[in-house]
Amino acid sequence: MKYLKLSSGGNMPMVGYGTWQAVDNVLESALNEALTCGYRHIDTATAYENEHVIGKVLNEWITSGKVTREELFIVTKLPPFKNRPEDLEECLKKSLSDLQLDYIDMYLVHTPFSVIAGETPAYSDMKIDTSTDHLAIWEMMEKQVTDGRAKAIGLSNFNIQQIQRVLDNCKIKPDNLQIENHLYLQQPELVEYCKSNDIVVTAYSCLGAKGGREAMGLNWTKDLPEMMENDVVLSIAEKHGKTPAQVLLRFIVQKGIVVIPKSTNPQRLALNIEIFDFELDEQDMEAMIGQDAGEGGRIIWLLFFTGIADHPEYPFEKSV
């Protein structure tokens, strides 16, 4: 495993196991397999509704002595429906209880906007909360570090202007930004901005999130092939004797970005972590950089929150 050094001092594994859209017995089996394969960075979120399953597996591994707490790097996130300073600490304590942990290695603000829970758990039933106060939220995030509940803190889905607002007013800098980043949405300006401010970037949906798209009804309507069926990717995979997924992950990691691929297939789980025994050459990298579709390649617009594009802190370009 390769690691990136956090400005706060910790080491973040460059390949983590993503758990969005993974629940119950399927997740329990897959996470056991992932830990067996060598994954130690586990990414979850309150909104994924699977922290209790992850906690059960982690507790079994720790109490049996198969892994120590110090070897693990656990990431979870403050959900948009708790994205208020008065709700934050209680939410993190609930996550810690479900995960059966004393502290989180990285706690992220999941979205730059807040919503109010509706009568049902459905995102579409949640109402926009326009009172979102990034500075008040971040001050409470900092308290989680000083109180020992989080080793490091960061952001997710924030844009440059929103990050800069935090940087201009913080006592503890964000260590991490988690964003959608893949072959078709490379966001070089945002990535470079983070690097210049010592913020490690984590890429989600790095393989196209086909399963997640289908589960959420996010149709792939753009004039783009599935990433693992892209001719450039297939050619480079054949050249190196690797799978398309390995090439896609290596492409991101080689740019100094953390990846958190999700799979419940044991063979693919093993292959997704085996990306440090080859290197893409300059020609490969240029060819894949040339596949960037900008905002037109974005998959996750967060539009499953009804009317969210009208929120004053909606982070993406509304015109695309």
Coordinates of all heavy atoms in Angstrom, one line a residue, residues 145-217:
V145 N -12.0 17.3 16.9 CA -10.6 17.0 16.9 C -10.0 17.3 18.3 O -9.4 16.4 18.9 CB -9.8 17.8 15.8 CG1 -8.3 17.5 16.0 CG2 -10.3 17.5 14.4
T146 N -10.3 18.4 18.8 CA -9.8 18.8 20.1 C -10.3 17.9 21.2 O -9.6 17.6 22.2 CB -10.0 20.3 20.5 OG1 -11.4 20.5 20.4 CG2 -9.3 21.2 19.5
D147 N -11.5 17.4 21.1 CA -12.2 16.5 22.0 C -11.8 15.0 21.8 O -12.2 14.2 22.6 CB -13.7 16.6 22.0 CG -14.2 18.0 22.6 OD1 -13.3 18.7 23.2 OD2 -15.4 18.2 22.6
G148 N -11.1 14.7 20.7 CA -10.5 13.4 20.5 C -11.5 12.4 19.8 O -11.1 11.3 19.6
R149 N -12.6 12.9 19.3 CA -13.5 12.0 18.5 C -13.1 11.8 17.1 O -13.5 10.9 16.4 CB -14.9 12.6 18.6 CG -15.6 12.3 20.0 CD -17.0 12.8 20.0 NE -17.0 14.3 20.2 CZ -17.0 14.9 21.3 NH1 -16.9 14.2 22.5 NH2 -17.0 16.3 21.4
A150 N -12.3 12.8 16.6 CA -11.8 12.7 15.2 C -10.3 13.0 15.2 O -9.9 14.0 15.8 CB -12.6 13.6 14.3
K151 N -9.5 12.2 14.4 CA -8.1 12.5 14.3 C -7.9 13.6 13.3 O -7.0 14.4 13.4 CB -7.4 11.2 13.8 CG -7.3 10.1 14.9 CD -6.4 10.4 16.0 CE -6.2 9.2 16.9 NZ -5.4 9.5 18.1
A152 N -8.7 13.6 12.2 CA -8.6 14.6 11.1 C -10.0 14.9 10.6 O -10.9 14.1 10.8 CB -7.7 14.1 10.0
I153 N -10.1 16.1 10.0 CA -11.4 16.5 9.5 C -11.2 17.1 8.0 O -10.2 17.5 7.7 CB -12.1 17.6 10.4 CG1 -11.1 18.7 10.7 CG2 -12.6 17.0 11.6 CD1 -11.6 19.8 11.6
G154 N -12.3 17.0 7.3 CA -12.3 17.4 5.9 C -13.6 17.7 5.4 O -14.6 17.8 6.1
L155 N -13.7 17.8 4.0 CA -14.9 18.3 3.3 C -15.2 17.3 2.2 O -14.3 16.5 1.8 CB -14.7 19.7 2.7 CG -14.3 20.7 3.7 CD1 -13.8 22.0 3.0 CD2 -15.4 21.1 4.7
S156 N -16.4 17.4 1.7 CA -16.8 16.5 0.5 C -17.8 17.3 -0.3 O -18.7 18.0 0.2 CB -17.4 15.2 1.0 OG -17.8 14.4 -0.1
N157 N -17.6 17.3 -1.6 CA -18.4 18.0 -2.6 C -18.4 19.5 -2.5 O -19.3 20.2 -3.0 CB -19.9 17.5 -2.4 CG -20.0 16.0 -2.8 OD1 -19.7 15.5 -3.8 ND2 -20.5 15.2 -1.8
F158 N -17.4 20.1 -1.8 CA -17.3 21.5 -1.8 C -16.5 22.0 -3.0 O -15.7 21.3 -3.5 CB -16.5 21.9 -0.5 CG -17.3 22.0 0.8 CD1 -18.0 20.9 1.2 CD2 -17.3 23.2 1.5 CE1 -18.7 21.0 2.4 CE2 -18.0 23.2 2.7 CZ -18.7 22.1 3.2
N159 N -16.8 23.2 -3.4 CA -16.1 23.8 -4.5 C -15.0 24.8 -4.0 O -14.9 24.9 -2.8 CB -17.0 24.6 -5.5 CG -17.8 25.7 -4.8 OD1 -17.3 26.4 -4.0 ND2 -19.0 26.0 -5.3
I160 N -14.2 25.3 -4.9 CA -13.0 26.1 -4.5 C -13.5 27.3 -3.6 O -12.8 27.6 -2.5 CB -12.3 26.6 -5.7 CG1 -11.5 25.5 -6.4 CG2 -11.2 27.7 -5.3 CD1 -10.8 25.8 -7.7
Q161 N -14.5 28.0 -3.9 CA -14.9 29.2 -3.2 C -15.3 28.8 -1.7 O -15.0 29.5 -0.8 CB -16.1 29.9 -3.9 CG -15.7 30.6 -5.2 CD -15.4 29.6 -6.3 OE1 -16.0 28.5 -6.3 NE2 -14.6 30.0 -7.3
Q162 N -16.0 27.7 -1.6 CA -16.5 27.2 -0.3 C -15.3 26.7 0.5 O -15.3 27.0 1.7 CB -17.5 26.1 -0.5 CG -18.8 26.6 -1.2 CD -19.7 25.4 -1.7 OE1 -19.2 24.4 -2.0 NE2 -21.0 25.7 -1.8
I163 N -14.4 26.0 -0.1 CA -13.2 25.6 0.6 C -12.4 26.8 1.1 O -11.9 26.8 2.3 CB -12.3 24.7 -0.2 CG1 -13.0 23.5 -0.7 CG2 -11.0 24.3 0.5 CD1 -12.3 22.7 -1.8
Q164 N -12.2 27.8 0.3 CA -11.4 29.0 0.6 C -12.1 29.7 1.8 O -11.3 30.2 2.7 CB -11.3 29.9 -0.6 CG -10.3 31.0 -0.4 CD -8.9 30.5 -0.2 OE1 -8.4 29.8 -1.0 NE2 -8.3 31.0 0.9
R165 N -13.4 29.7 1.9 CA -14.0 30.4 3.0 C -13.6 29.7 4.3 O -13.4 30.4 5.3 CB -15.6 30.3 2.8 CG -16.4 31.0 3.8 CD -17.9 30.8 3.6 NE -18.3 31.0 2.3 CZ -19.3 30.4 1.6 NH1 -20.0 29.5 2.3 NH2 -19.6 30.7 0.4
V166 N -13.6 28.4 4.3 CA -13.2 27.6 5.5 C -11.7 27.9 5.8 O -11.3 28.2 6.9 CB -13.4 26.1 5.3 CG1 -12.8 25.3 6.5 CG2 -14.9 25.8 5.1
L167 N -10.8 27.9 4.8 CA -9.4 28.1 5.0 C -9.2 29.5 5.6 O -8.2 29.7 6.4 CB -8.7 28.0 3.7 CG -8.5 26.5 3.1 CD1 -7.8 26.6 1.8 CD2 -7.7 25.7 4.1
D168 N -9.9 30.5 5.1 CA -9.7 31.8 5.6 C -10.1 32.1 7.0 O -9.8 33.1 7.6 CB -10.5 32.8 4.7 CG -9.9 33.0 3.3 OD1 -8.8 32.6 3.1 OD2 -10.7 33.4 2.4
N169 N -10.9 31.1 7.6 CA -11.4 31.3 8.9 C -11.2 30.2 9.9 O -11.7 30.3 11.0 CB -12.9 31.6 8.8 CG -13.3 32.8 8.1 OD1 -13.3 33.9 8.7 ND2 -13.6 32.7 6.8
C170 N -10.4 29.2 9.5 CA -10.3 28.0 10.4 C -9.1 28.1 11.3 O -8.1 28.8 11.1 CB -10.1 26.8 9.5 SG -8.6 26.7 8.5
K171 N -9.1 27.3 12.4 CA -8.0 27.0 13.3 C -7.3 25.7 12.9 O -6.1 25.6 13.0 CB -8.5 27.0 14.7 CG -9.0 28.3 15.2 CD -9.5 28.2 16.7 CE -10.1 29.5 17.2 NZ -10.7 29.4 18.6
I172 N -8.1 24.8 12.4 CA -7.6 23.5 11.9 C -8.0 23.4 10.5 O -9.2 23.5 10.1 CB -8.2 22.3 12.7 CG1 -7.9 22.4 14.2 CG2 -7.7 21.0 12.1 CD1 -8.5 21.3 15.1
K173 N -7.0 23.2 9.6 CA -7.3 23.2 8.2 C -7.9 21.9 7.8 O -7.7 20.8 8.4 CB -5.9 23.3 7.4 CG -5.3 24.6 7.4 CD -4.0 24.6 6.6 CE -4.1 24.1 5.2 NZ -2.8 24.2 4.5
P174 N -8.8 21.9 6.7 CA -9.3 20.6 6.2 C -8.1 19.8 5.7 O -7.2 20.3 5.0 CB -10.2 21.1 5.0 CG -10.5 22.5 5.3 CD -9.3 23.1 6.0
D175 N -8.1 18.5 6.0 CA -7.1 17.6 5.6 C -7.4 16.9 4.3 O -6.5 16.4 3.6 CB -6.8 16.5 6.7 CG -5.6 16.7 7.5 OD1 -4.6 17.1 7.0 OD2 -5.7 16.5 8.7
N176 N -8.7 16.8 4.0 CA -9.1 16.0 2.9 C -10.3 16.6 2.2 O -11.2 17.2 2.8 CB -9.5 14.6 3.4 CG -9.9 13.6 2.4 OD1 -10.8 12.9 2.5 ND2 -9.1 13.5 1.3
L177 N -10.4 16.5 0.9 CA -11.6 16.8 0.1 C -12.0 15.6 -0.7 O -11.2 15.1 -1.5 CB -11.3 18.0 -0.9 CG -12.5 18.3 -1.8 CD1 -13.7 18.9 -1.0 CD2 -12.2 19.2 -2.9
Q178 N -13.2 15.1 -0.5 CA -13.7 13.9 -1.3 C -14.6 14.4 -2.3 O -15.6 15.1 -2.0 CB -14.4 12.9 -0.3 CG -14.8 11.6 -1.1 CD -15.3 10.5 -0.2 OE1 -16.4 10.0 -0.5 NE2 -14.6 10.2 0.9
I179 N -14.3 14.1 -3.6 CA -15.1 14.6 -4.7 C -15.3 13.5 -5.7 O -14.5 12.5 -5.8 CB -14.4 15.8 -5.4 CG1 -13.0 15.4 -5.8 CG2 -14.5 17.0 -4.5 CD1 -12.3 16.5 -6.6
E180 N -16.3 13.7 -6.6 CA -16.4 12.8 -7.8 C -15.2 13.1 -8.7 O -14.9 14.2 -9.1 CB -17.7 13.0 -8.5 CG -17.9 12.2 -9.7 CD -19.2 12.4 -10.5 OE1 -20.1 13.0 -9.9 OE2 -19.2 12.0 -11.7
N181 N -14.4 12.0 -9.0 CA -13.3 12.2 -9.9 C -13.0 10.9 -10.6 O -12.8 9.9 -10.0 CB -12.1 12.7 -9.0 CG -10.9 13.1 -9.9 OD1 -10.1 12.3 -10.4 ND2 -10.7 14.4 -10.0
H182 N -12.9 11.0 -11.9 CA -12.8 9.8 -12.7 C -12.4 10.2 -14.1 O -12.1 11.4 -14.4 CB -14.0 8.9 -12.7 CG -15.3 9.7 -13.0 ND1 -15.6 10.3 -14.2 CD2 -16.3 10.0 -12.2 CE1 -16.7 10.9 -14.2 NE2 -17.2 10.8 -12.9
L183 N -12.3 9.2 -15.0 CA -11.9 9.5 -16.4 C -12.6 10.6 -17.1 O -12.0 11.4 -17.8 CB -12.1 8.2 -17.2 CG -11.6 8.2 -18.7 CD1 -10.1 8.1 -18.7 CD2 -12.2 7.0 -19.4
Y184 N -13.9 10.7 -16.9 CA -14.7 11.7 -17.6 C -14.9 13.0 -16.8 O -15.4 14.0 -17.3 CB -16.1 11.1 -17.9 CG -16.1 10.0 -18.9 CD1 -16.9 8.9 -18.7 CD2 -15.2 10.0 -20.0 CE1 -16.9 7.8 -19.6 CE2 -15.1 8.9 -20.8 CZ -16.0 7.8 -20.7 OH -16.0 6.8 -21.5
L185 N -14.5 13.1 -15.5 CA -14.6 14.3 -14.7 C -13.4 14.4 -13.8 O -13.3 13.9 -12.7 CB -15.9 14.2 -13.8 CG -16.1 15.4 -12.9 CD1 -16.5 16.7 -13.7 CD2 -17.2 15.1 -11.8
Q186 N -12.4 15.0 -14.4 CA -11.0 15.0 -13.8 C -10.8 16.2 -12.9 O -9.9 16.2 -12.0 CB -10.0 14.9 -14.9 CG -10.1 13.5 -15.6 CD -9.0 13.3 -16.7 OE1 -7.9 13.8 -16.6 NE2 -9.4 12.6 -17.7
Q187 N -11.5 17.3 -13.1 CA -11.4 18.5 -12.2 C -10.0 18.9 -11.9 O -9.6 19.1 -10.7 CB -12.2 18.2 -11.0 CG -13.7 17.8 -11.2 CD -14.5 18.0 -10.0 OE1 -14.9 19.1 -9.7 NE2 -14.8 17.0 -9.3
P188 N -9.2 19.2 -12.9 CA -7.8 19.5 -12.7 C -7.6 20.8 -11.8 O -6.7 20.9 -11.0 CB -7.1 19.6 -14.0 CG -8.3 19.9 -15.0 CD -9.4 19.1 -14.4
E189 N -8.4 21.8 -12.1 CA -8.3 23.0 -11.3 C -8.5 22.8 -9.8 O -7.8 23.3 -9.0 CB -9.2 24.1 -11.9 CG -9.1 25.5 -11.2 CD -10.1 26.5 -11.7 OE1 -10.9 26.2 -12.5 OE2 -10.0 27.6 -11.2
L190 N -9.6 22.1 -9.5 CA -9.9 21.8 -8.1 C -8.8 21.0 -7.4 O -8.4 21.2 -6.3 CB -11.3 21.2 -8.0 CG -11.8 20.8 -6.6 CD1 -11.8 22.0 -5.7 CD2 -13.2 20.2 -6.7
V191 N -8.4 20.0 -8.2 CA -7.3 19.1 -7.6 C -6.0 19.9 -7.4 O -5.4 19.7 -6.3 CB -7.0 17.9 -8.6 CG1 -5.8 17.1 -8.2 CG2 -8.2 17.0 -8.7
E192 N -5.6 20.7 -8.3 CA -4.4 21.5 -8.1 C -4.6 22.5 -7.0 O -3.6 22.7 -6.2 CB -4.1 22.2 -9.4 CG -2.8 23.0 -9.4 CD -1.6 22.1 -9.0 OE1 -1.5 20.9 -9.4 OE2 -0.7 22.6 -8.2
Y193 N -5.7 23.1 -6.9 CA -6.0 24.0 -5.7 C -5.8 23.3 -4.4 O -5.2 23.8 -3.5 CB -7.4 24.5 -5.9 CG -7.9 25.3 -4.6 CD1 -7.6 26.6 -4.4 CD2 -8.7 24.6 -3.7 CE1 -8.1 27.3 -3.3 CE2 -9.1 25.3 -2.5 CZ -8.8 26.6 -2.4 OH -9.2 27.3 -1.2
C194 N -6.4 22.1 -4.3 CA -6.2 21.3 -3.1 C -4.8 21.0 -2.8 O -4.3 21.1 -1.6 CB -7.0 20.0 -3.1 SG -8.8 20.3 -3.0
K195 N -4.0 20.5 -3.8 CA -2.6 20.2 -3.6 C -1.9 21.4 -3.1 O -1.0 21.3 -2.2 CB -2.0 19.6 -4.9 CG -2.5 18.2 -5.2 CD -1.9 17.7 -6.4 CE -2.3 16.2 -6.7 NZ -1.6 15.6 -7.9
S196 N -2.2 22.6 -3.7 CA -1.4 23.8 -3.3 C -1.8 24.3 -1.9 O -1.0 25.0 -1.3 CB -1.8 25.0 -4.3 OG -3.1 25.4 -4.1
N197 N -2.8 23.7 -1.3 CA -3.2 24.0 0.1 C -3.1 22.8 1.0 O -3.6 22.8 2.1 CB -4.7 24.5 0.1 CG -4.8 25.9 -0.4 OD1 -4.5 26.9 0.3 ND2 -5.3 26.1 -1.7
D198 N -2.3 21.9 0.5 CA -2.0 20.7 1.4 C -3.2 19.9 1.8 O -3.3 19.4 2.9 CB -1.2 21.0 2.6 CG 0.2 21.6 2.2 OD1 0.8 21.0 1.3 OD2 0.7 22.6 2.9
I199 N -4.2 19.9 0.9 CA -5.4 19.1 1.1 C -5.4 17.8 0.2 O -5.3 18.0 -1.0 CB -6.7 19.9 0.8 CG1 -6.7 21.2 1.7 CG2 -7.9 19.1 0.9 CD1 -7.8 22.2 1.3
V200 N -5.4 16.7 0.8 CA -5.4 15.4 0.1 C -6.8 15.2 -0.6 O -7.8 15.5 0.1 CB -5.1 14.2 1.0 CG1 -5.4 12.9 0.3 CG2 -3.6 14.3 1.5
V201 N -6.8 14.8 -1.8 CA -8.1 14.6 -2.6 C -8.4 13.1 -2.6 O -7.5 12.3 -2.9 CB -7.9 15.2 -4.0 CG1 -9.2 14.8 -4.8 CG2 -7.7 16.7 -4.0
T202 N -9.6 12.8 -2.4 CA -10.1 11.4 -2.5 C -11.2 11.4 -3.6 O -12.0 12.3 -3.7 CB -10.8 10.9 -1.2 OG1 -9.8 10.9 -0.2 CG2 -11.3 9.5 -1.4
A203 N -11.1 10.4 -4.5 CA -12.0 10.3 -5.7 C -13.0 9.3 -5.4 O -12.7 8.1 -5.1 CB -11.2 9.9 -6.9
Y204 N -14.3 9.7 -5.5 CA -15.4 8.7 -5.5 C -16.0 8.5 -6.9 O -15.7 9.3 -7.8 CB -16.5 9.1 -4.4 CG -17.4 10.2 -4.7 CD1 -18.4 10.2 -5.7 CD2 -17.3 11.4 -4.0 CE1 -19.2 11.2 -5.9 CE2 -18.1 12.5 -4.2 CZ -19.1 12.4 -5.2 OH -19.9 13.5 -5.4
S205 N -16.7 7.4 -7.1 CA -17.3 7.1 -8.4 C -16.1 6.9 -9.4 O -16.3 7.2 -10.6 CB -18.3 8.1 -8.9 OG -19.4 8.2 -8.0
C206 N -15.0 6.4 -8.9 CA -13.8 6.4 -9.8 C -13.9 5.3 -10.9 O -13.1 5.4 -11.8 CB -12.5 6.2 -9.0 SG -12.7 5.1 -7.6
L207 N -14.8 4.4 -10.8 CA -15.0 3.4 -11.8 C -16.3 3.6 -12.6 O -16.7 2.8 -13.4 CB -14.9 2.0 -11.3 CG -13.6 1.6 -10.6 CD1 -13.7 0.2 -10.0 CD2 -12.5 1.7 -11.6
G208 N -17.0 4.7 -12.3 CA -18.3 5.0 -13.0 C -19.5 4.7 -12.2 O -20.6 5.1 -12.6
A209 N -19.4 4.1 -11.0 CA -20.5 3.9 -10.1 C -21.8 3.3 -10.8 O -22.9 3.7 -10.6 CB -20.9 5.2 -9.4
K210 N -21.5 2.3 -11.7 CA -22.6 1.7 -12.4 C -23.7 1.2 -11.5 O -24.9 1.5 -11.7 CB -22.1 0.7 -13.4 CG -23.2 0.1 -14.3 CD -22.6 -0.9 -15.3 CE -23.7 -1.3 -16.3 NZ -23.1 -2.3 -17.3
G211 N -23.4 0.4 -10.5 CA -24.3 -0.2 -9.6 C -25.1 0.9 -8.9 O -26.3 0.8 -8.7
G212 N -24.4 1.9 -8.4 CA -25.0 3.0 -7.6 C -25.9 3.8 -8.5 O -27.0 4.2 -8.1
R213 N -25.5 4.0 -9.8 CA -26.4 4.8 -10.7 C -27.7 4.0 -10.9 O -28.8 4.6 -10.9 CB -25.7 4.9 -12.1 CG -24.4 5.8 -12.0 CD -24.1 6.3 -13.4 NE -24.3 5.4 -14.5 CZ -23.5 4.6 -15.1 NH1 -22.2 4.6 -14.6 NH2 -23.8 3.9 -16.1
E214 N -27.6 2.7 -11.1 CA -28.8 2.0 -11.4 C -29.7 2.0 -10.1 O -30.9 2.1 -10.3 CB -28.4 0.5 -11.8 CG -27.7 0.5 -13.1 CD -27.2 -0.9 -13.4 OE1 -27.2 -1.8 -12.5 OE2 -26.7 -1.1 -14.6
A215 N -29.1 1.8 -8.9 CA -29.9 1.8 -7.7 C -30.6 3.1 -7.5 O -31.7 3.2 -7.0 CB -29.0 1.5 -6.5
M216 N -30.0 4.2 -7.8 CA -30.5 5.6 -7.6 C -31.3 6.1 -8.8 O -31.8 7.2 -8.8 CB -29.4 6.6 -7.3 CG -28.6 6.2 -6.0 SD -29.6 6.4 -4.5 CE -29.8 8.2 -4.4
G217 N -31.4 5.3 -9.9 CA -32.1 5.7 -11.1 C -31.4 6.9 -11.8 O -32.0 7.7 -12.5

